[in-house]
Amino acid sequence: MSYQSEAQLEKNMYDQLIRKGYERVVLSNYEALVANFREQVNKFNENKLAGTPLSDDEFNRLMTRIDKKSIFDSAKILRDKVILQRDDGSEIYLELFNTREWCKNLFQVTTQTTVEGKYVNRYDVTILINGLPVVQIELKRRGLDFKEAFNQIQRYRKHSYKGLYRYLQIFVVSNGVDTKYFANSDSDILFGYTFFWSDDKNSRITNLSDFTDSFLEKCHIAKMIARYMVINESDKLLMVMRPYQVYAVEALVKRALETKNNGYIWHTTGSGKTLTSFKASQILANEPHIKKVFFLVDRNDLDSQTIAEFDKFEKGSVDTTDKTDKLVEQVQDLTKPLILTTIQKMANAVKNPKYAAIMERYQNDRVIFIMDECHRSQFGEMHTAISRHFKNAQYFGFTGTPRFEENKSQDGRVTADLFEKCLHTYLIKDAINDGNVLGFSVEYHRTFDSKIDEEDETRVEAINTDEVWSHEDRMKLIVENIVENHERKSRSKGYTGIFTVQSIPMLIKYYDLFKTYDHNFKIAGIYTYGANEESEGQDEHSRDSLERMMKDYNGLFKTNYTTDTYASYFSDVSKRVKSAQIDILLVVNMFLTGFDSKKLNTLYVDKNLKYHDLIQAYSRTNRVEKATKPYGNIVCYRSLKKKTDEAVRLFSQTNSVDDVLMRSYKEYLNEFHDSLKKVREMAATPATVDQLQREEEQKAYIESFRELTKILVKLQTFTEFTFTPEELNITRQEYEDYKSKYLMLYEKTKKDVDKVSILQDIDFALELMHTDRINVSYIMNLIKDIDFNDAEEVKKKVKFIEDELDRADNEELRLKVDLVKGFLQRVVPTLTNEDSIDDTYNTYEEEEREKEIESFSEEVALKKDLLKTYIQEYEYSNIIKQSEISDAIKGGLLKKRKYSQRIVDFILEHTKRFG
């Protein structure tokens, strides 16, 4: 098959950009880039410079102000005005980029600029705005995986994107057929944050020519940089919005500025509504004729996560207090055009006579309300009170699950009754197709034999009693099923699960049942108890039951919560679910809406769910994490198949559920067999992998084995899975041997840093190759669980932890094994229960680090302080100056070359081990 060459692809794109109005410029090296920037900055700021271009001194002063900054700081400088002192002492404000009238910038394009860093690199296509490189496009020929272009950019970022290249905002990678874009960053960029562009109907635009016409059109790319990138202050990073977010904001802003009508955005749960709604709020808050933009959330959703999300974009915009006084104060503050608060406080502010005198002043102001999760029924009730007060208000809602006739709220209203028109949709099937959320693998378990059709709601009502659903034998079966399978579902406790049940009494009963079984899962429960609940006929009040659970929780996590500190308990539970420290959380309704956790991968269901409640609950599990989480696991102990299919059809606007619900175990098993056949065609046995001499053959093996392992990860989550040769056509030992060969090729590629190799751009999916269980935090938690007052237990536990270390295949932990073993043997026997394990280990690690640096510096005859400086520089900037190291070594050329490479290797290994 003949493919279009990379050079041809590049030429076609370059010519297309010139036809679209970009000015052609030849910049053969970095010096030419700087000279061109000087020319363009003079041209762009012609009026401010009053016809006198920048002198050499002035240009040098400008470069001092803007050059050699971090990517994050460069992004802020790009969007700001730069104060420059002229030679005559006067000051002017220079503009690097027009963020308001983006079409009025100056656009250029260049190809094959050569930049020398650690290696000589030639960049494919660079788009410049006002002389600054802002978009870099890397191409691979058709037929190659365009991820290789992504990996190439990662190398360029480490080796040569310096100086003015720190102003790069967006990268584009393409092989002509598939094209994606992503934001620049000072830290590592994950491939998961690369996006396809699409049209406003969510149809992908992947062909490079079409992408260039649409996304790289001059005004559009300038608008993306000016309006649709977000500077995230708390994480110090740049974010670029996805296409559906851009179209939603455009539609909402257009509706707000051109009409007085309301509207809503239907974007599926997990697709990044917070960023979309924030960006729309921010743009509207900057409009002079709009007095206030209120972003309203439900009180129950205003957790630390929501606050942190908004604080990233607009520091201090969140009103976190429980007092309405604070909100009223913000309403009066003219310097606060954007306020995030709860709908409950806003309703109180307009209804409470105490605030009438203040609030009445704003009755006729032009204000906008943006409501999150607007499918909630309480929005209807409180919306009425708010709309009576603000006469010129406009309302916009965001929801992942709107109310339709089928799932209308208790008062009979649907979402369109309150918000009129749906302005943009991005459905769950679109998000799964784009890889922005995961699909669901749903298992249904029948838990009792009955002639009653569980899907017949009228009959189910008749059997919906404690006699059946809460029968101890049935509940024991379910607990046994969870205990037996949760280790597998959670990938050896690398992920966490939520178990949602019908009622509080049922939750308490399940919690107590779990305690009677032999397992090593950390189980917690949470619910809201009634202050004056009817406790007749019950052994204990639900508050007392929760106190019992909290006592167990305190024992597990060394905390001190009671029902008097319920809010803190809620917050702590939330954090521990997000970090997979709790294995299974028992809930009735809490955590089933609005809760985001990448580490949550399983939902066990023993309650009746339908429509929006079902999709919202299922969607807690489908946040994208890494390849070890292929989909959200749903395990139903009620007959919810019909309800699941109905909900998926309604919220996907489709007759097919196949886009959202994953295939059966049998189908994945057949896929595994096919994939294994391909691996064996390349290497009949693990030993024959060594005979693959050509890099092309090695690459094919890597890709095939990686694919095999991806399917295996999916299979392992099913209850039916068993690793037997009868089932998989391969023994566990043979699979492990193939895996060892895969890891061997990875290690070889990693060491060949100075060799240009096609394997360097390969994506080695290492996280697939091990379970998450035996990692650094797991080992440290085992050490923390030791009772140091019991010498016999210390001995026994240390032996157990050493055995676990020997089984570890987590790459980060493998590097630290000797370090941790030394700590176990030399330090742990001297500890008491009062000692802080973290502090003691950190002190020990620091001492070992010093010893290693001292020993190696003597070995290579390099001053210890100098070696430490090189290490610190690498830790800070990811840069190793090999020529500087070579100069510091005394001796001839051969000695310098040999020792400088050893020092580089030491810095890399040492940093990994002690990082």
Side-chain angles (χ1 to χ4, degrees):
M1 189 183 293
S2 66
Y3 293 108
Q4 183 181 27
S5 72
E6 193 177 307
Q8 190 57 51
L9 198 62
E10 184 186 303
K11 184 182 183 307
N12 290 354
M13 185 192 197
Y14 184 53
D15 291 346
Q16 188 178 352
L17 287 168
I18 289 161
R19 286 196 303 274
K20 291 191 76 63
Y22 284 85
E23 181 198 341
R24 184 196 308 265
V25 60
V26 177
L27 305 174
S28 54
N29 54 33
Y30 185 74
E31 290 68 32
L33 176 83
V34 174
N36 178 68
F37 168 62
R38 179 172 179 174
E39 199 178 297
Q40 294 292 298
V41 88
N42 278 323
K43 194 171 167 186
F44 185 60
N45 290 277
E46 211 166 2
N47 293 339
K48 296 182 182 71
L49 293 168
T52 310
L54 297 175
S55 67
D56 290 349
D57 286 346
E58 288 168 344
F59 183 68
N60 288 338
R61 281 198 289 276
L62 173 64
M63 289 297 281
T64 303
R65 292 292 308 278
I66 72 165
D67 197 14
K68 297 186 175 132
K69 302 290 188 283
S70 68
I71 289 157
F72 181 75
D73 288 336
S74 300
K76 292 206 286 190
I77 292 166
L78 178 71
R79 291 160 174 81
D80 210 351
K81 287 187 168 61
V82 181
I83 303 171
L84 183 74
Q85 189 175 51
R86 302 220 68 172
D87 291 340
D88 63 5
S90 63
E91 284 188 342
I92 53 166
Y93 286 87
L94 288 181
E95 203 173 21
L96 299 179
F97 178 57
N98 189 335
T99 57
R100 298 164 313 286
E101 298 170 291
W102 39 78
C103 294
K104 291 188 175 175
N105 290 290
L106 306 174
F107 299 87
Q108 294 173 304
V109 62
T110 189
T111 62
Q112 293 293 310
T113 303
T114 302
V115 177
E116 290 194 34
K118 185 174 178 183
Y119 306 105
V120 174
N121 295 306
R122 283 186 187 83
Y123 306 150
D124 289 352
V125 179
T126 311
I127 286 175
L128 304 108
I129 296 184
N130 309 325
L132 287 171
V134 290
V135 180
Q136 182 63 40
I137 301 122
E138 284 303 320
L139 306 168
K140 289 290 169 191
R141 69 167 172 79
R142 289 172 192 269
L144 287 182
D145 182 355
F146 72 138
K147 194 166 183 187
E148 292 182 18
F150 171 81
N151 292 336
Q152 189 168 310
I153 280 176
Q154 297 292 65
R155 287 208 315 280
Y156 286 172
R157 287 175 64 247
K158 279 183 183 169
H159 300 149
S160 64
Y161 282 148
K162 305 292 181 281
L164 293 183
Y165 281 102
R166 293 285 172 89
Y167 283 84
L168 284 170
Q169 303 293 290
I170 291 173
F171 292 113
V172 174
V173 291
S174 180
N175 60 4
V177 178
D178 286 315
T179 308
K180 288 183 108 174
Y181 69 98
F182 54 100
N184 197 4
S185 172
D186 287 298
S187 53
D188 282 345
I189 300 170
L190 300 175
F191 191 69
Y193 290 100
T194 63
F195 314 126
F196 287 108
W197 185 242
S198 69
D199 63 19
D200 61 351
K201 301 286 187 294
N202 304 313
S203 297
R204 277 190 197 167
I205 298 170
T206 62
N207 177 280
L208 181 59
S209 175
D210 298 338
F211 179 90
T212 303
D213 265 344
S214 169
F215 188 82
L216 295 178
E217 188 276 323
K218 289 190 309 179
C219 288
H220 183 268
I221 192 63
K223 179 162 71 166
M224 285 297 298
I225 293 167
R227 181 175 261 191
Y228 294 117
M229 293 193 78
V230 174
I231 292 178
N232 175 337
E233 282 287 353
S234 64
D235 296 338
K236 296 283 180 279
L237 59 82
L238 266 179
M239 299 164 76
V240 64
M241 293 176 77
R242 303 165 198 231
Y244 60 88
Q245 294 174 314
V246 171
Y247 291 122
V249 173
E250 299 256 278
L252 192 151
V253 170
K254 187 172 191 286
R255 180 91 163 172
L257 299 183
E258 294 179 8
T259 75
K260 292 290 174 69
N261 303 106
N262 303 333
Y264 71 95
I265 302 293
W266 174 10
H267 280 189
T268 192
T269 307
S271 60
K273 290 196 296 293
T274 305
L275 177 56
T276 314
S277 51
F278 167 76
K279 181 49 84 169
S281 309
Q282 188 189 49
I283 291 168
L284 292 174
N286 286 331
E287 288 292 324
H289 67 289
I290 294 171
K291 286 285 164 55
K292 293 276 179 189
V293 176
F294 295 104
F295 189 94
L296 300 185
V297 297
D298 184 83
R299 179 173 50 224
N300 297 327
D301 292 339
L302 192 58
D303 63 358
S304 54
Q305 180 177 311
T306 313
I307 294 164
E309 283 288 310
F310 257 79
D311 250 13
K312 283 175 184 177
F313 313 136
E314 182 107 350
K315 208 80 179 140
S317 65
V318 187
D319 163 21
T320 55
T321 64
D322 291 331
K323 296 184 175 64
T324 306
D325 295 20
K326 175 69 178 169
L327 168 61
V328 175
E329 211 178 281
Q330 286 186 322
V331 170
Q332 286 179 285
D333 186 348
L334 296 176
T335 65
K336 270 202 169 295
L338 175 58
I339 299 167
L340 185 145
T341 189
T342 65
I343 190 164
Q344 289 85 354
K345 266 191 283 187
M346 180 54 77
N348 187 37
V350 297
K351 286 194 290 190
N352 194 326
K354 175 184 171 185
Y355 307 112
I358 296 168
M359 295 301 287
E360 273 165 18
R361 289 181 227 155
Y362 304 95
Q363 273 188 314
N364 297 310
D365 279 350
R366 175 97 162 86
V367 295
I368 287 180
F369 288 95
I370 292 183
M371 299 184 175
D372 196 24
E373 303 294 354
C374 69
H375 58 274
R376 303 280 176 83
S377 55
Q378 64 264 37
F379 279 120
E381 301 151 22
M382 298 184 191
H383 177 276
T384 307
I386 295 166
S387 57
R388 277 195 194 125
H389 181 87
F390 290 99
K391 312 287 188 222
N392 284 315
Q394 230 174 331
Y395 300 88
F396 295 100
F398 280 81
T399 179
T401 50
R403 300 286 189 139
F404 299 109
E405 276 303 313
E406 295 92 328
N407 64 320
K408 58 191 173 193
S409 63
Q410 290 159 336
D411 61 7
R413 288 197 280 190
V414 299
T415 303
D417 290 335
L418 294 178
F419 296 98
E420 299 167 28
K421 184 184 178 186
C422 181
L423 303 175
H424 192 259
T425 62
Y426 184 68
L427 310 181
I428 189 166
K429 62 177 182 183
D430 301 319
I432 291 169
N433 183 46
D434 289 343
N436 291 325
V437 300
L438 302 171
F440 305 111
S441 172
V442 190
E443 290 178 21
Y444 303 99
H445 294 263
R446 192 171 176 84
T447 55
F448 62 87
D449 289 323
S450 165
K451 291 189 173 65
I452 294 169
D453 177 8
E454 282 186 58
E455 291 181 356
D456 179 347
E457 284 187 40
T458 56
R459 304 301 301 279
V460 168
E461 291 298 318
I463 61 158
N464 198 1
T465 66
D466 283 351
E467 282 178 71
V468 178
W469 298 117
S470 294
H471 194 284
E472 191 160 311
D473 289 350
R474 176 184 175 274
M475 290 173 72
K476 275 181 174 174
L477 277 175
I478 290 169
V479 171
E480 281 163 17
N481 182 267
I482 293 172
V483 167
E484 193 180 321
N485 291 295
H486 187 68
E487 182 93 4
R488 178 185 297 157
K489 295 282 180 198
S490 64
R491 290 278 294 173
S492 301
K493 305 213 287 186
Y495 295 96
T496 197
I498 282 180
F499 184 12
T500 177
V501 303
Q502 195 73 41
S503 64
I504 292 172
M506 198 181 209
L507 186 151
I508 296 162
K509 200 169 170 182
Y510 265 124
Y511 183 84
D512 292 336
L513 272 174
F514 271 109
K515 289 178 76 170
T516 66
Y517 283 80
D518 183 24
H519 60 77
N520 64 346
F521 299 123
K522 290 185 169 76
I523 292 175
I526 191 165
Y527 52 83
T528 24
Y529 54 85
N532 304 303
E533 72 182 43
E534 179 63 60
S535 55
E536 195 179 318
Q538 292 177 16
D539 293 337
E540 67 179 346
H541 190 285
S542 67
R543 180 169 183 173
D544 297 327
S545 303
L546 189 59
E547 285 283 0
R548 277 199 294 114
M549 292 180 199
M550 285 179 165
K551 197 175 172 190
D552 292 344
Y553 186 91
N554 292 335
L556 279 175
F557 298 112
K558 309 290 181 282
T559 51
N560 192 27
Y561 297 113
T562 66
T563 51
D564 292 330
T565 54
Y566 181 84
S568 301
Y569 175 64
F570 174 90
S571 177
D572 199 65
V573 166
S574 170
K575 279 182 204 151
R576 291 188 196 276
V577 171
K578 287 176 186 179
S579 57
Q581 290 178 60
I582 293 171
D583 293 307
I584 300 166
L585 177 67
L586 291 167
V587 303
V588 180
N589 293 317
M590 297 179 90
F591 288 88
L592 297 185
T593 59
F595 178 71
D596 262 0
S597 168
K598 291 180 177 184
K599 284 291 178 187
L600 175 60
N601 81 333
T602 303
L603 178 74
Y604 300 103
V605 183
D606 190 15
K607 70 186 292 187
N608 298 322
L609 291 168
K610 60 183 181 180
Y611 293 126
H612 55 276
D613 288 335
L614 182 144
I615 291 290
Q616 286 284 340
Y618 284 16
S619 295
R620 295 316 101 209
T621 66
N622 75 340
R623 299 303 181 271
V624 174
E625 203 234 7
K626 52 187 178 182
T628 47
K629 185 183 179 186
Y631 36 62
N633 297 312
I634 313 294
V635 184
C636 296
Y637 299 108
R638 305 220 174 176
S639 185
L640 289 177
K641 177 148 180 35
K642 189 178 170 190
K643 295 288 179 224
T644 298
D645 291 352
E646 280 174 358
V648 167
R649 285 192 190 104
L650 179 65
F651 294 111
S652 291
Q653 299 287 283
T654 178
N655 291 322
S656 167
V657 297
D658 296 343
D659 300 328
V660 176
L661 304 181
M662 304 312 286
R663 291 172 286 140
S664 68
Y665 175 75
K666 191 75 190 153
E667 287 172 278
Y668 288 121
L669 186 61
N670 291 337
E671 211 175 287
F672 182 86
H673 292 155
D674 292 343
S675 190
L676 178 61
K677 198 174 158 195
K678 283 181 191 164
V679 170
R680 288 202 162 122
E681 280 166 6
M682 258 167 271
T685 66
T688 54
V689 174
D690 295 340
Q691 292 166 22
L692 304 175
Q693 296 300 315
R694 290 172 56 240
E695 283 194 338
E696 287 78 8
E697 293 171 331
Q698 293 172 359
K699 181 183 175 190
Y701 170 74
I702 290 162
E703 288 170 342
S704 297
F705 184 75
R706 185 183 64 199
E707 197 52 42
L708 181 78
T709 302
K710 279 182 182 171
I711 303 163
L712 180 63
V713 167
K714 290 178 183 175
L715 283 173
Q716 284 170 332
T717 62
F718 285 87
T719 312
E720 305 100 295
F721 175 78
T722 53
F723 206 128
T724 60
E726 295 76 27
E727 186 81 348
L728 298 183
N729 298 341
I730 186 172
T731 65
R732 184 181 282 278
Q733 186 58 56
E734 193 183 4
Y735 171 78
E736 289 295 328
D737 291 346
Y738 273 120
K739 181 173 98 172
S740 297
K741 297 297 180 186
Y742 176 94
L743 293 170
M744 176 197 75
L745 287 169
Y746 166 69
E747 294 292 341
K748 174 178 168 287
T749 306
K750 200 173 63 170
K751 286 193 174 96
D752 288 346
V753 286
D754 291 326
K755 181 186 166 197
V756 177
S757 160
I758 64 167
L759 299 183
Q760 284 179 337
D761 288 331
I762 281 281
D763 174 38
F764 284 89
L766 292 182
E767 73 272 11
L768 288 167
M769 301 299 147
H770 61 77
T771 62
D772 287 302
R773 185 180 170 191
I774 306 172
N775 55 23
V776 175
S777 59
Y778 167 75
I779 294 293
M780 295 315 288
N781 283 333
L782 286 180
I783 297 172
K784 286 172 191 172
D785 286 343
I786 296 174
D787 178 1
F788 295 102
N789 295 336
D790 183 339
E792 200 48 49
E793 186 190 324
V794 172
K795 220 164 140 185
K796 216 159 87 184
K797 285 279 176 77
V798 164
K799 175 74 178 78
F800 173 74
I801 295 167
E802 284 177 341
D803 290 345
E804 290 286 85
L805 283 167
D806 290 337
R807 293 197 305 118
D809 53 9
N810 173 288
E811 196 186 16
E812 181 195 358
L813 183 56
R814 265 169 42 204
L815 290 162
K816 288 181 181 281
V817 164
D818 292 340
L819 210 54
V820 178
K821 280 188 175 176
F823 181 70
L824 286 167
Q825 288 152 9
R826 297 199 293 276
V827 182
V828 166
T830 69
L831 297 176
T832 69
N833 287 341
E834 279 66 55
D835 290 319
S836 160
I837 302 300
D838 288 331
D839 291 348
T840 314
Y841 180 77
N842 289 339
T843 305
Y844 162 78
E845 197 177 69
E846 204 46 53
E847 286 166 1
E848 291 300 305
R849 183 174 197 170
E850 283 290 323
K851 283 183 203 167
E852 188 170 294
I853 291 171
E854 194 163 339
S855 166
F856 184 76
S857 65
E858 285 171 12
E859 208 178 304
V860 293
L862 185 72
K863 284 182 182 169
K864 182 176 137 186
D865 290 346
L866 203 52
L867 180 58
K868 280 176 95 168
T869 304
Y870 297 144
I871 291 167
Q872 284 161 1
E873 186 170 354
Y874 176 68
E875 286 175 334
Y876 175 71
S877 65
N878 234 16
I879 294 166
I880 298 176
K881 293 175 180 165
Q882 197 156 359
S883 58
E884 228 175 80
I885 292 171
S886 182
D887 291 344
I889 298 164
K890 292 180 172 64
L893 190 64
L894 281 175
K895 187 184 177 186
K896 280 177 182 284
R897 190 178 294 168
K898 180 186 164 191
Y899 274 21
S900 68
Q901 190 53 54
R902 278 189 65 194
I903 291 165
V904 168
D905 292 343
F906 173 80
I907 292 169
L908 294 170
E909 288 297 320
H910 176 88
T911 307
K912 273 187 186 172
R913 184 161 51 255
F914 291 97

